């Protein structure tokens, strides 16, 4: 009989020469289970998605309840659909006052696409500034903003007038000028190996955008909804963006994204041309219902408050001669272990001892720790033991 793994390799479009090839049949909390009953701790949350763990009851219940009412009805922006309205209202109430209009999409890349189109439309400018080693998605617009030429080269030509600068280098902020439509950046550069902007630098950058009339677009796609120990990553810097992008954890495991802007800016999509940005499935009612349940739980429980304490427990329990640095904020951590070879061996040893980790797209000497935010303190101690055991095997 042909195995599921062979079928996977034959029939699914592949993204690398070496996929994990682990088969997962069910998942619950921080654990994922193979059909043979092997149990793995999920240390990466499907890359910053499953912040409430797997099969989180309030989210699953909300999705099921919506399924019993209706699935897709109409393309986005035409019918009044309660799950979208309720979610938008809740989200806006969590954000600074100026961010009061939500446009729903299906993914992070789409949120970025919508945000940069909006910035071009409203400023009438075309130049965009993004950052070296940034990751914003794989569609053409989002890819144009990514800061790694090896990753982009095969797909050129991409968007023109995108200029890449280095994070935390003040002098390069002079690139922001009167022709600049927007500056796009992550509140923590996740795929660059968890690089953190300096607070003063971020403030300076926001000020420069204001002076030059360029819109500041923040990518909160990995950092949003509690991962850094604040509801939103930008709250670590005391700044307010002009447009903010969400996806990943927003749906509690269901696909949904959004970009949020002041209403007077967002309204520019209504005219010249009409239907300036449209999507069939954006804000799918089942995803929107699941998302509201997830965000409500994150906001109304003490989950976010506890994230910093949980980060500390990881830091205290991860002592090993191969670990040279643990970088990050909250439960978005990069653990440096010297080389890509070590990371590859650790990923393999992790599977053997029972946890899943990975590396970063643009940084290969560190492995990722981004577990569900509701991992318990005891579970953290347990998985740190597994990590040390795996490090001893490499
Ligand atoms: N922005 C950041 C910071 C991301 O990490 C990602 C995905 O990893 C994206 C954007 C793109 O999101 P998606 O894969 O949902 O298109």
């Amino acid at each position: 009989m042909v195995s599921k793994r062979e079928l996977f390799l034959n029939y699914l479009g592949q993204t690398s020469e070496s996929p994990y090839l682990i088969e997962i049949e069910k998942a619950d909390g921080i654990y994922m289970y193979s059909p043979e009953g092997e149990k793995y701790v999920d240390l990466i949350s499907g890359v910053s998605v499953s912040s409430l763990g797997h099969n989180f009851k309030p989210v699953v219940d909300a999705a099921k309840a919506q399924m019993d009412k209706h699935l897709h009805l109409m393309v986005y922006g035409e019918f009044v659909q309660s799950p979208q309205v309720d979610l938008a209202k809740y989200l806006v109430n969590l954000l600074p006052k100026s961010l009061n209009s939500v446009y729903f999409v299906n993914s992070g890349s789409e949120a970025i696409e919508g945000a940069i189109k909006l910035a071009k439309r409203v400023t009438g400018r075309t130049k965009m500034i993004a950052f070296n080693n940034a990751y914003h998605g794989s569609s053409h617009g989002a890819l144009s903003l990514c800061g790694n030429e090896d990753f982009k080269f095969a797909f050129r030509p991409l968007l023109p007038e995108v200029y890449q600068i280095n994070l935390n280098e003040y002098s390069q902020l002079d690139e922001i000028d009167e022709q600049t439509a927007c500056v796009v950046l992550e509140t923590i550069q996740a795929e660059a190996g968890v690089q953190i902007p300096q607070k003063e630098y971020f403030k300076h950058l926001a000020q420069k955008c204001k002076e030059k009339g360029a819109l500041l677009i923040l990518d909160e796609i990995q950092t949003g909804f509690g991962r850094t120990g604040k509801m939103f990553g930008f709250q670590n810097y005391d700044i307010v963006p002009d447009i903010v992008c969400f996806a990943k954890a927003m749906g509690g495991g269901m696909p949904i994204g959004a970009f949020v802007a002041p209403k007077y800016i967002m309204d520019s999509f209504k005219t010249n041309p009409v239907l300036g940005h449209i999507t069939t499935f954006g804000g799918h009612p089942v995803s929107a219902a699941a998302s509201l349940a997830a965000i409500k739980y994150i906001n109304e429980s003490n989950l976010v408050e506890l994230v910093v304490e949980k980060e500390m427990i990881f830091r205290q329990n991860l002592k090993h001669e191969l670990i040279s640095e643990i970088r990050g904020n909250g439960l978005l951590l990069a653990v440096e272990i010297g080389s890509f070879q070590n990371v590859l061996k650790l990923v393999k040893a992790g599977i053997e001892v029972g946890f899943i980790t990975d590396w970063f797209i643009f940084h290969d000497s560190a492995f990722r720790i981004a577990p569900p935010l509701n991992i318990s303190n005891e579970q953290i101690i347990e998985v740190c033991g597994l990590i040390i055991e795996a490090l001893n095997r490499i």
Side-chain angles (χ1 to χ4, degrees):
M1 205 179 80
V2 186
S3 74
K4 273 277 162 58
R5 285 183 180 81
E6 282 171 90
L7 294 171
F8 167 88
L9 290 170
N10 282 342
Y11 289 115
L12 272 81
Q14 298 295 310
T15 58
S16 84
E17 295 289 350
S18 51
Y20 279 80
L21 281 181
I22 309 167
E23 192 180 342
I24 300 298
E25 188 178 57
K26 59 179 182 174
D28 196 56
I30 65 160
Y31 300 108
M32 301 192 283
Y33 301 89
S34 75
E36 293 78 32
E38 278 128 344
K39 174 173 151 184
Y40 306 100
V41 175
D42 183 355
L43 258 194
I44 55 181
S45 306
V47 186
S48 301
V49 170
S50 319
S51 286
L52 295 170
H54 300 279
N55 201 19
F56 188 70
K57 198 168 179 329
V59 173
V60 174
D61 286 350
K64 283 182 178 165
Q66 180 54 41
M67 278 187 179
D68 285 337
K69 291 183 189 152
H70 63 80
L71 302 182
H72 177 80
L73 297 178
M74 179 53 172
V75 297
Y76 177 78
E78 300 292 341
F79 286 9
V80 180
Q81 300 188 45
S82 286
Q84 293 178 347
V85 176
D86 296 347
L87 174 60
K89 181 166 175 270
Y90 196 87
L91 185 56
V92 160
N93 281 329
L94 293 179
L95 286 164
K97 267 203 181 73
S98 57
L99 295 169
N100 58 1
S101 178
V102 183
Y103 194 114
F104 289 121
V105 291
N106 302 285
S107 67
S109 301
E110 283 179 67
I112 295 287
E113 296 291 341
I116 60 178
K117 273 180 71 182
L118 186 58
K120 285 169 79 176
R121 172 69 184 77
V122 81
T123 61
R125 304 175 182 178
T126 46
K127 177 175 171 182
M128 289 185 254
I129 311 273
F131 285 77
N132 284 317
N133 292 322
Y135 182 74
H136 296 292
S138 275
S139 54
H140 268 82
L143 181 63
S144 302
L145 302 171
C146 291
N148 181 293
E149 193 51 29
D150 288 345
F151 201 69
K152 300 198 315 190
F153 186 72
F155 306 102
R156 287 196 177 279
L158 295 169
L159 285 182
E161 295 183 71
V162 174
Y163 296 85
Q164 236 83 33
I165 62 175
N166 289 335
L167 191 68
N168 293 331
E169 269 192 38
Y170 284 74
S171 63
Q172 297 196 356
L173 294 177
D174 289 341
E175 193 62 67
I176 305 170
D177 58 19
E178 280 82 7
Q179 278 72 53
T180 308
C182 57
V183 177
V184 185
L185 83 157
E186 299 157 88
T187 54
I188 290 179
Q189 284 196 316
E191 296 309 317
V194 189
Q195 307 296 341
I196 303 180
Q198 294 155 5
K199 192 169 179 177
E200 276 314 302
Y201 172 83
F202 222 129
K203 285 186 165 174
H204 206 75
L205 166 70
Q207 183 55 34
K208 187 88 182 184
C209 286
K210 199 169 270 168
E211 276 165 32
K212 302 293 177 185
L215 298 188
L216 176 59
I217 300 178
L218 292 186
D219 179 337
E220 288 273 1
I221 291 162
Q222 282 214 40
T223 47
F225 304 106
R227 182 140 302 275
T228 69
K230 301 261 195 234
M231 193 60 170
F232 305 111
F234 65 78
Q235 291 166 331
N236 290 301
Y237 307 96
D238 298 336
I239 50 128
V240 175
D242 296 299
I243 306 177
V244 63
C245 297
F246 300 117
K248 289 197 182 266
M250 178 179 172
M254 291 292 283
I256 192 166
F259 55 100
V260 186
K263 183 158 174 53
Y264 74 92
I265 290 184
M266 195 70 93
D267 276 350
S268 63
F269 274 151
K270 296 199 302 194
T271 54
N272 297 323
V274 63
L275 303 178
H277 194 71
I278 46 179
T279 162
T280 299
F281 284 125
H284 190 280
V286 177
S287 294
S291 172
L292 179 59
I295 298 174
K296 249 190 180 167
Y297 184 86
I298 293 172
N299 183 46
E300 291 169 19
S301 65
N302 60 351
L303 194 67
V304 182
E305 275 163 49
L306 297 178
V307 163
V308 174
E309 181 186 328
K310 290 179 185 183
E311 172 191 351
M312 285 308 142
I313 302 175
F314 268 110
R315 287 181 182 275
Q316 281 156 7
N317 286 276
L318 283 179
K319 309 271 187 225
H320 191 276
E321 58 191 11
L322 280 174
I323 297 177
S324 57
E325 186 188 357
I326 301 178
R327 200 172 39 250
N329 235 349
L331 290 177
L332 181 55
L333 300 172
V335 185
E336 289 289 348
I337 53 171
S339 69
F340 189 44
Q341 282 318 309
N342 282 348
V343 173
L344 284 176
K345 287 186 205 160
L346 179 82
V347 169
K348 191 164 166 281
I351 294 168
E352 285 163 16
V353 304
F355 68 88
I356 305 292
T357 182
D358 71 345
W359 53 91
F360 299 90
I361 305 176
F362 303 140
H363 186 92
D364 60 14
S365 56
F367 69 92
R368 185 188 317 257
I369 294 187
L373 305 183
N374 53 1
I375 188 170
S376 70
N377 294 356
E378 295 70 33
Q379 286 170 329
I380 295 174
I381 291 166
E382 182 189 318
V383 75
C384 285
L386 295 178
I387 295 170
I388 299 297
E389 190 183 330
L391 285 168
N392 285 337
R393 288 189 185 194
I394 72 178

